[in-house]
Amino acid sequence: RLESTFLFDTIESCNYYITKHLRGNGKIYEVELIEIDQLFEGDMKIIDDIPTYILFEDLINEFDAYWQGQEELEPVKEFIFQGKFRYK
């Protein structure tokens, strides 16, 4: 994850991330993927909707759901990308 770039497939998902995680302070760039080494698609809402107080076992289940690619009813998809890209 530390060497990854986080991408989004819609402007709405990107704006959600900027608002929720960057306090509204971010920029949106369109990119073209040139070479894909790794690409994971996850629903950010699964992680964001974890309650503050949760049993450890339930927390592990939520993380498993995220990494297995499960989605909520209204997913916010993020793509964890490793590889080469260029700005459009």
Side-chain angles (χ1 to χ4, degrees):
R1 286 182 57 100
L2 295 176
E3 296 178 7
S4 298
T5 302
F6 289 78
L7 307 173
F8 304 91
D9 62 345
T10 66
I11 297 293
E12 294 80 17
S13 294
C14 193
N15 281 327
Y16 172 90
Y17 176 78
I18 289 171
T19 301
K20 180 100 172 154
H21 295 278
L22 302 178
R23 299 180 182 172
N25 193 13
K27 294 182 180 181
I28 297 174
Y29 298 95
E30 187 174 359
V31 299
E32 177 182 356
L33 304 184
I34 298 169
E35 184 179 305
I36 300 172
D37 295 331
Q38 296 285 328
L39 183 65
F40 172 79
E41 179 181 338
D43 181 2
M44 188 183 341
K45 288 282 286 178
I46 291 174
I47 303 299
D48 286 347
D49 289 349
I50 294 174
T52 303
Y53 298 99
I54 188 171
L55 295 173
F56 180 76
E57 183 177 328
D58 294 334
L59 178 64
I60 295 302
N61 290 336
E62 294 293 327
F63 288 153
D64 283 344
Y66 173 81
W67 287 112
Q68 290 174 14
Q70 295 178 20
E71 295 181 0
E72 292 195 354
L73 291 176
E74 296 182 27
V76 177
K77 295 181 182 180
E78 65 179 348
F79 297 84
I80 303 173
F81 171 77
Q82 291 182 350
K84 295 179 182 176
F85 67 91
R86 70 172 155 238
Y87 296 104
K88 284 188 164 184

